[in-house]
């Protein structure tokens, strides 16, 4: 592959990742086809999280992509987020997309999204959060703030 081809492929991958607003996610969150992937590191353990989200810390994310693929079997949309969704969320989403491209294996994922403004904005806007310590989160201790 030439450098030009590699850059074109990177560009295509970058275009395949879109953002979703908190409102859009809230309206889709009950869909059985969506998985929310929280890539925050230690702060998830003392902050709340989006109910039902999967936790794959960004510092070990690349090594655990095969586990994530198993955990999201049957889902067609993954929504990644970190605290602000400026670095870790988008970069993990990109790593996941690149992994799927490299594997050339159809695992059924059609949409890879990043939660716009991340968990901090989700929580600050009063959307439901969960404070359980369950792994994986079952979302049964979710409560709306305010």
């Amino acid at each position: 592959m030439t450098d030009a081809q590699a850059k074109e492929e990177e560009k295509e991958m970058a275009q395949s990742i879109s953002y979703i607003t908190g409102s859009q996610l809230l309206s889709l969150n009950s869909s059985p086809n969506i998985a929310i992937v929280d890539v925050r590191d230690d702060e998830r353990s003392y902050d709340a999280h989006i109910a039902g989200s999967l936790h794959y810390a960004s510092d070990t994310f690349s090594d655990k992509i095969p586990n994530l693929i198993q955990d999201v079997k049957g889902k067609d949309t993954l929504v990644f987020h970190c605290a602000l969704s400026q670095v870790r969320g988008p970069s993990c989403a990109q790593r996941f997309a690149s992994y799927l491209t490299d594997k050339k294996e159809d695992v059924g994922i059609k949409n890879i999204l990043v939660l716009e403004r991340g968990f901090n904005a989700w929580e600050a806007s009063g959307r439901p959060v969960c404070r359980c310590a369950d792994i994986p989160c079952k979302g049964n201790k979710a409560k709306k703030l305010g």
Side-chain angles (χ1 to χ4, degrees):
M1 178 183 292
T2 67
D3 282 344
Q5 287 171 320
K7 283 184 179 162
E8 188 60 34
E9 190 171 302
E10 257 179 56
K11 196 165 141 188
E12 285 174 26
M13 289 307 301
Q15 292 171 344
S16 69
I17 303 214
S18 303
Y19 282 79
I20 183 171
T21 66
S23 299
Q24 290 168 323
L25 179 57
L26 192 60
S27 68
L28 297 173
N29 199 10
S30 60
S31 168
N33 298 332
I34 292 181
I36 300 170
V37 184
D38 183 340
V39 298
R40 292 176 297 158
D41 298 313
D42 295 335
E43 70 263 40
R44 180 180 165 110
S45 60
Y46 52 83
D47 282 350
H49 52 272
I50 298 173
S53 62
L54 301 167
H55 185 226
Y56 279 85
S58 66
D59 59 354
T60 58
F61 181 78
S62 294
D63 299 334
K64 297 190 175 174
I65 290 175
N67 302 41
L68 177 56
I69 289 172
Q70 289 303 312
D71 284 348
V72 298
K73 274 208 185 314
K75 310 288 186 192
D76 65 12
T77 300
L78 296 190
V79 179
F80 287 81
H81 78 82
C82 58
L84 302 172
S85 289
Q86 292 178 345
V87 178
R88 293 174 295 177
S91 68
C92 288
Q94 190 64 55
R95 279 187 262 163
F96 185 79
S98 295
Y99 180 91
L100 293 181
T101 300
D102 292 346
K103 281 286 184 194
K104 294 179 178 32
E105 176 186 345
D106 184 8
V107 296
I109 305 295
K110 306 215 177 340
N111 303 301
I112 299 173
L113 306 169
V114 175
L115 177 60
E116 194 173 89
R117 298 178 52 229
F119 177 79
N120 292 2
W122 174 273
E123 184 179 34
S125 65
R127 294 190 176 97
V129 298
C130 184
R131 299 193 184 280
C132 78
D134 300 338
I135 296 178
C137 171
K138 296 177 185 52
N140 55 4
K141 293 182 185 164
K143 65 178 188 179
K144 190 163 174 123
L145 301 176

